[in-house]
Amino acid sequence: MRILTGLQPSGELTLGNYIGAIKQMVKYQDEYESFIFVADLHAITVSQDPKELRNNIKSLIAIYLASGIDKDKNTIFIQSENIYHANMSWLLECLTPYGELGRMTQFKDKSLKHQNFGAGLLTYPVLMASDILLYDADFVPTGIDQKQHVELARNIAERVNKKYGDIFKIPEPLIPKDGAKICDLVDPTKKMSKSTENPKGVIYMLDKENVIRKKIMGATTDSEMEIRYDPETKPGISNLINIYASLSGLTIPEVIEKFKGQNYGTFKGEVADLVIKTLIPIQERYQEIINSHELDKILDEGRDKTLEIAKKKYLDLRNRMGLGR
Ligand code: ATP
Ligand code: LTN
């Protein structure tokens, strides 16, 4: 069985990305044939500074590897280095009803947030469908926010198969049951997100030890004294419990039992210790990898392998549609 997923190089990765996406991929790499890529073509659907974008792409790959994504168990590549993603996307765009794209919730959100955006923001999910369908992925690990896009990919695949014959495998989203949504430390009713303006609420994977501690100790909590899990009335404490549970492997009741009777300050200190213990070794490996030639070798191999697979699929649809000679 094959899985495929991508992350956008749209900013520095957060603890939310680590817990919600990267850690899951590390787990899946032993169960599936796994493809991971940097979705740089998706990142330019909103404005990007070229220098920053290039740094973010490289940094993202180094963070994957430093976090335990094994180069021998995964095919790792950069989306724009494989021309068939954009080529396939054009064919599929012409086979996707315009109205279906306007209904995507991410488009509705982002089109309100950004001004003067390009047409690519609307066609974004078709490019994502191409990413998935080019490789006959069985499963697509993502957060719940991307489920609608995977469903669109399924619809596109079914429609194309009906019209042109069996070309595409129908993919399924793989959304972790135990994958907690990590929230912003300042406003715990909001998702911790790399594009948030206030960095105090966000733990970046490359934050220094003292910065991590300061952010967690300053996390918004409630005026009670009890460590109890209730995301509705105690979103701040519940978020810290989620972080502790995700990183320690304990269940939520086990975390509550462990810290029963302790005050918020002690608990926050323990959460900070665990986050630091998790991120510092990743940061150390990151520094070694980012300055090595290993990265280029891995990416060259990933590019060459995926070009071969994607080319076949692209040409198959192109020919069936009657394009070219
Ligand atoms: P942006 O701010 O650019 O929208 P983001 O940080 O919200 O970015 P995405 O790039 O959209 O994250 O998400 C990449 C992956 O990380 C997705 O699978 C998503 O579900 C997961 N993820 C992102 N933020 C969190 C979070 N706070 N908690 C759990 N998972 C998350
Ligand atoms: N849209 C996704 C990133 C992404 C992706 C994909 C994920 C692009 N192409 C293919 C899975 C499969 C995001 O913003 N998280």
Side-chain angles (χ1 to χ4, degrees):
M1 291 282 198
R2 186 177 279 181
I3 59 171
L4 172 135
T5 198
L7 277 182
Q8 288 191 64
S10 50
E12 267 190 62
L13 290 187
T14 71
L15 184 66
N17 295 131
Y18 177 71
I19 292 173
I22 299 180
K23 208 164 165 277
Q24 306 293 332
M25 287 306 286
V26 173
K27 193 176 85 186
Y28 295 140
Q29 67 186 359
D30 293 316
E31 295 167 44
Y32 299 100
E33 183 194 3
S34 161
F35 285 67
I36 304 187
F37 68 97
V38 178
D40 56 347
L41 293 173
H42 278 107
I44 58 164
T45 52
V46 299
S47 175
Q48 298 289 343
D49 173 74
K51 243 195 186 146
E52 257 176 49
L53 180 61
R54 182 112 335 132
N55 283 338
N56 284 339
I57 292 170
K58 208 174 149 197
S59 172
L60 189 50
I61 303 275
I63 287 191
Y64 281 156
L65 296 168
S67 303
I69 300 279
D70 184 335
K71 67 176 172 46
D72 297 322
K73 293 182 185 161
N74 297 270
T75 302
I76 302 168
F77 67 105
I78 298 174
Q79 186 188 31
S80 69
E81 292 189 354
N82 186 323
I83 53 169
Y84 298 105
H85 287 246
N87 282 345
M88 180 61 104
S89 187
W90 177 252
L91 304 189
L92 298 184
E93 271 170 47
C94 294
L95 298 166
T96 304
Y98 176 75
E100 231 168 271
L101 297 179
R103 284 197 290 275
M104 294 289 119
T105 48
Q106 182 174 299
F107 171 70
K108 289 195 214 160
D109 291 348
K110 288 204 178 178
S111 58
L112 288 176
K113 219 167 103 187
H114 298 274
Q115 276 158 358
N116 299 326
F117 52 85
L121 197 64
L122 179 73
T123 56
Y124 175 115
V126 186
L127 177 60
M128 181 161 160
S130 307
D131 300 335
I132 299 166
L133 301 177
L134 276 172
Y135 299 96
D136 286 326
D138 296 282
F139 296 106
V140 181
T142 74
I144 188 85
D145 53 320
Q146 298 296 315
K147 189 168 173 234
Q148 197 185 27
H149 290 163
V150 181
E151 271 157 13
L152 180 84
R154 287 171 63 88
N155 291 344
I156 293 175
E158 277 164 4
R159 209 176 300 127
V160 173
N161 285 353
K162 209 161 165 198
K163 191 159 180 194
Y164 295 105
D166 247 0
I167 303 178
F168 294 132
K169 192 166 239 174
I170 312 297
E172 275 187 52
L174 188 60
I175 296 162
K177 276 189 242 66
D178 56 347
K181 185 176 93 178
I182 305 305
C183 294
D184 190 275
L185 297 175
V186 174
D187 178 359
T189 59
K190 249 179 38 191
K191 185 179 101 159
M192 184 183 284
S193 179
K194 52 177 136 67
S195 54
T196 299
E197 267 141 44
N198 184 1
K200 279 195 189 142
V202 180
I203 295 182
Y204 297 100
M205 287 186 70
L206 300 178
D207 270 348
K208 296 227 159 55
E209 186 171 336
N210 59 336
V211 176
I212 297 174
R213 193 170 297 281
K214 205 163 155 205
K215 285 179 179 174
I216 294 177
M217 296 313 286
T220 305
T221 44
D222 50 73
S223 55
E224 289 182 10
M225 310 254 282
E226 197 189 352
I227 298 174
R228 190 161 49 83
Y229 190 75
D230 185 348
E232 287 293 314
T233 61
K234 295 166 78 71
I237 281 294
S238 302
N239 187 36
L240 294 175
I241 294 173
N242 269 332
I243 293 175
Y244 197 94
S246 303
L247 296 181
S248 65
L250 296 178
T251 62
I252 287 170
E254 282 166 350
V255 176
I256 292 165
E257 184 57 33
K258 185 174 162 83
F259 293 104
K260 210 168 159 187
Q262 304 221 16
N263 64 34
Y264 285 0
T266 314
F267 177 51
K268 282 179 171 176
E270 296 264 353
V271 176
D273 285 346
L274 184 57
V275 172
I276 290 165
K277 202 174 119 205
T278 308
L279 293 185
I280 295 298
I282 294 178
Q283 294 179 3
E284 285 167 3
R285 282 195 295 276
Y286 172 87
Q287 291 308 337
E288 287 165 22
I289 296 167
I290 195 83
N291 296 314
S292 75
H293 294 297
E294 197 193 353
L295 270 188
D296 280 329
K297 196 168 162 267
I298 294 168
L299 292 172
D300 286 351
E301 280 173 17
R303 178 198 59 209
D304 294 346
K305 177 172 169 188
T306 58
L307 272 171
E308 228 174 89
I309 302 173
K311 183 180 180 183
K312 276 198 200 118
K313 200 55 120 186
Y314 167 73
L315 287 180
D316 188 11
L317 181 58
R318 197 197 73 154
N319 290 335
R320 290 189 202 222
M321 288 177 77
L323 292 160
R325 277 183 274 170

